[in-house]
Amino acid sequence: MRFYLVPLDDSVSQSLVPPHVVKHLSHKWLIPEPLLNHKDKLNIPLVRLSDLPPDKLEFPSLNTTFQINEEVENMIKGRRLLLDEVIATIPLDVIYDHICNGYIRYQSAINRKPKLTCVRCGNDDPFLFGEISCARCVDKCAYCRACIQMGKVTECSPLLTWHGEESAESRNHPLGWEGELSPAQDKASEALVTHVMSSYLMERKFLIWAVCGAGKTEMLFEAIQSGLAKGDSVLIATPRTDVVLELLPRMVMAFPNTVVRAFHGGVKPEERYAQAELVIATTHQLLRFYDHFPLAIIDEVDAFPFSYDKKLQYAVECARSKQSLTVYVTATPSDELKRRVNSGELAHVKVPRRYHGFDLPVPKRVWVGDWRKKLEKNVLPMKVINWIQRHVNAKKQVFLFVAKISLMATIEEVLKSKLDTVVESVHASDPDRREKVSRFRAGEMNVLVTTTILERGVTIKGVQVGVLGAEDRIFTESALVQIAGRVGRSADEHDGDVIFFHYGNTNAIVRAVRHIEAMNDQT
Ligand SMILES: [Zn+2]
Ligand SMILES: [Zn+2]
């Protein structure tokens, strides 16, 4: 959309502008192109927001006598939405009324200076922008490819934000969870609650470094409850849809009187803009929220490679309130987080014990020679076959992690020919992925060959884990620690095998083993 840039210093222009705006502003005012029919009479320039310097945009103060439209408030409050997605349900003149009365402001969704940047997702990679000749702009119009699945960010669809009065009311949010925290969980929960209860006078960060199987969700309950009781909106953000889907029922159960909603790619359009007190969202869905959460919890912040990580960080930075507490929860903090912990810059609590109190199984390293060469002749190292056979005989299930999808079919075939048991394989783009995992969970297969997609989030009682080709670059320290974390998660099956079958030790292998030993040494 383009806007008429109306000067406010003559009576003709002022006649086009509502009195509240004229009263508060002195220079120029923007009127959306479709709302003005006077263009023949007036010689007013048409502009896009991206053509104007951002600091040139001025908005009137709040008119508290203005009758707000509740539908508009419910949609935009706490969010930053494209004008295009708002006018799909709300007429432009209704939005304009709210702008004139100080309740809605707009900003350009794309900045051209100092470099081309998408304001919604933070993308500034020139290769991730496209350009079309746009009928609305009557000009060339840039759009962002990085966040296009959330609706197209263009130069002619500004972003809208809500600026009404804050009405945070504190009310009761009883906890429906009646379990008991382990001593380690309790310590972490208490530390977190203390941080939540201290005032949010400035922006603060806190890290919960909890081993796989520590029971991190339960540790968060009291802190979430404290935030909600203050009237705060609480956010749990995670890069993975799987995690969102797993957390939703647990949070609904834990907070029976609270409005809990999950936002992920599969949410129905009519629920996309609903309000909630406790929000669980993926990175992409988070891009629709703005300046809204005094308490933001980021789960599995390290779950994806760096670029993805950066995107999640940007999304959280935009969605959290200016004065807020951001909590990172992870078993494998990035080097950057560890550096900030060690320098004392980042407040943190470590949870080195699993909730059941037993040690983490320490991975064993087994050298298997040039296994890739063997595999070319459809042979797997005997050490691998024998290890799997032993567990199959003992009625144990086995995950065999491998680095590449291209190797999986051969490995699966060789195992099927050597073992008298049910073997299958799974990878990220496998259409039957969920179904296979649930059959494995139900005990309908014994051996599952998998890529790193199952490195986290999967809890299977009594599972044994092998990594074939642990020397591959894809198996970073954190990937190996997460993989090892699949074993021994339940109290009555707290031990088990983690075997790194390798053709040469790597730093990542050594550091992963040390990482786990160090956690076991702490009490
Ligand atoms: Zn973008
Ligand atoms: Zn355009």
Side-chain angles (χ1 to χ4, degrees):
M1 189 167 298
R2 294 185 299 177
F3 295 84
Y4 288 102
L5 191 60
V6 183
L8 291 179
D9 47 14
D10 66 72
S11 55
V12 182
S13 307
Q14 284 185 6
S15 68
L16 304 170
V17 178
H20 185 69
V21 174
V22 178
K23 198 171 111 198
H24 284 92
L25 305 186
S26 49
H27 302 296
K28 294 203 161 99
W29 180 244
L30 294 165
I31 302 179
E33 184 177 7
L35 293 186
L36 203 55
N37 308 316
H38 299 64
K39 60 182 166 190
D40 300 330
K41 292 183 201 157
L42 292 160
N43 196 15
I44 303 174
L46 270 165
V47 296
R48 296 179 303 191
L49 293 190
S50 61
D51 303 325
L52 298 172
D55 56 353
K56 280 277 149 59
L57 290 180
E58 255 193 305
F59 296 93
S61 60
L62 216 56
N63 175 12
T64 47
T65 61
F66 175 71
Q67 196 63 39
I68 328 171
N69 177 319
E70 262 181 49
E71 197 191 339
V72 177
E73 182 182 18
N74 279 332
M75 185 172 186
I76 307 182
K77 194 176 168 184
R79 290 196 163 90
R80 182 160 65 181
L81 303 176
L82 287 169
L83 178 60
D84 281 344
E85 60 185 327
V86 178
I87 52 176
T89 48
I90 294 165
L92 181 61
D93 56 337
V94 175
I95 299 166
Y96 181 64
D97 274 352
H98 286 76
I99 294 170
C100 293
N101 288 283
Y103 284 86
I104 295 178
R105 294 181 184 180
Y106 34 46
Q107 67 185 122
S108 178
I110 286 185
N111 284 337
R112 287 210 159 262
K113 283 179 184 162
K115 67 192 282 202
L116 203 57
T117 307
C118 171
V119 175
R120 183 170 69 177
C121 78
N123 166 37
D124 60 2
D125 178 348
F127 292 104
L128 290 177
F129 285 94
E131 198 177 70
I132 44 167
S133 51
C134 176
R136 282 195 309 204
C137 295
V138 203
D139 198 353
K140 291 224 162 35
C141 182
Y143 66 94
C144 174
R145 287 205 181 102
C147 60
I148 197 157
Q149 67 193 92
M150 301 292 294
K152 205 179 206 176
V153 166
T154 67
E155 289 189 75
C156 54
S157 183
L159 290 163
L160 306 183
T161 46
W162 183 258
H163 295 267
E165 282 164 330
E166 284 301 320
S167 59
E169 48 182 277
S170 52
R171 69 177 187 89
N172 224 354
H173 292 269
L175 192 56
W177 182 73
E178 284 169 353
E180 207 173 303
L181 295 176
S182 73
Q185 282 176 310
D186 197 43
K187 191 178 141 217
S189 171
E190 227 171 82
L192 185 55
V193 169
T194 310
H195 268 73
V196 172
M197 294 313 286
S198 57
S199 68
Y200 297 143
L201 281 181
M202 45 182 205
E203 180 221 329
R204 289 167 311 127
K205 316 262 185 207
F206 187 77
L207 169 70
I208 300 183
W209 183 348
V211 293
C212 302
K216 58 186 175 178
T217 308
E218 294 80 6
M219 277 179 240
L220 301 174
F221 286 158
E222 270 188 75
I224 293 172
Q225 189 187 24
S226 312
L228 291 170
K230 286 203 289 182
D232 292 348
S233 302
V234 179
L235 167 72
I236 304 176
T238 171
R240 293 162 37 105
T241 304
D242 293 5
V243 178
V244 171
L245 294 174
E246 192 219 297
L247 280 176
L248 179 66
R250 298 175 72 185
M251 290 299 166
V252 167
M253 204 121 74
F255 297 99
N257 285 14
T258 305
V259 184
V260 185
R261 279 186 186 275
F263 295 90
H264 54 84
V267 166
K268 292 185 217 120
E270 62 269 29
E271 287 168 14
R272 199 171 284 161
Y273 305 104
Q275 295 284 331
E277 291 160 306
L278 174 56
V279 167
I280 312 167
T282 56
T283 309
H284 271 102
Q285 300 301 318
L286 204 50
L287 296 176
R288 289 210 177 97
F289 291 93
Y290 185 72
D291 189 15
H292 188 50
F293 301 100
L295 175 58
I297 299 166
I298 315 180
D299 194 22
E300 310 228 7
V301 64
D302 61 306
F304 279 90
F306 180 67
S307 60
Y308 204 93
D309 200 322
K310 206 173 124 194
K311 236 179 182 175
L312 177 62
Q313 293 295 343
Y314 181 86
V316 172
E317 285 304 295
C318 295
R320 67 173 179 80
S321 307
K322 296 287 168 279
Q323 294 168 349
S324 57
L325 173 65
T326 309
V327 180
Y328 305 108
V329 189
T330 178
T332 46
S334 63
D335 288 344
E336 170 61 13
L337 281 180
K338 279 190 218 160
R339 187 194 61 72
R340 284 161 60 192
V341 163
N342 293 334
S343 68
E345 208 178 297
L346 178 63
H348 76 287
V349 62
K350 255 188 206 172
V351 188
R353 282 279 131 191
R354 287 184 152 173
Y355 75 94
H356 55 47
F358 294 100
D359 271 1
L360 297 159
V362 178
K364 294 183 193 71
R365 288 172 266 178
V366 174
W367 189 84
V368 287
D370 193 350
W371 59 275
R372 281 172 198 265
K373 209 167 180 184
K374 287 194 178 124
L375 198 62
E376 283 167 17
K377 297 172 196 144
N378 294 322
V379 174
L380 275 174
M382 279 317 289
K383 286 175 187 167
V384 177
I385 305 273
N386 290 340
W387 174 77
I388 298 177
Q389 185 68 62
R390 187 159 54 82
H391 286 302
V392 169
N393 292 346
K395 307 255 178 299
K396 296 285 185 195
Q397 287 178 290
V398 174
F399 276 144
L400 185 65
F401 284 86
V402 298
K404 290 194 171 60
I405 297 175
S406 56
L407 303 173
M408 291 183 86
T410 319
I411 294 172
E412 187 184 340
E413 282 318 303
V414 178
L415 288 177
K416 276 180 174 158
S417 69
K418 292 282 176 192
L419 302 166
D420 182 24
T421 190
V422 187
V423 181
E424 291 195 43
S425 62
V426 69
H427 55 87
S429 43
D430 186 337
D432 302 326
R433 171 183 164 184
R434 276 170 213 273
E435 185 247 321
K436 282 179 181 172
V437 174
S438 65
R439 280 199 292 121
F440 189 80
R441 210 184 280 280
E444 289 168 24
M445 70 180 95
N446 305 78
V447 181
L448 187 56
V449 183
T450 175
T451 56
T452 53
I453 54 154
L454 295 186
E455 78 175 37
R456 51 181 92 211
V458 187
T459 297
I460 301 215
K461 198 174 163 180
V463 76
Q464 311 290 313
V465 164
V467 181
L468 177 58
E471 73 281 0
D472 195 283
R473 277 170 52 196
I474 200 167
F475 295 118
T476 58
E477 173 191 346
S478 76
L480 291 170
V481 169
Q482 292 285 352
I483 285 170
R486 299 308 99 209
V487 177
R489 292 170 78 100
S490 67
D492 48 349
E493 298 247 18
H494 57 82
D495 211 353
D497 272 358
V498 181
I499 313 280
F500 296 161
F501 295 105
H502 67 89
Y503 180 36
N505 259 316
T506 58
N507 269 338
I509 294 178
V510 175
R511 287 176 62 180
V513 174
R514 250 190 239 147
H515 182 142
I516 290 167
E517 286 172 340
M519 281 299 191
N520 282 341
D521 287 344
Q522 296 179 28
T523 43

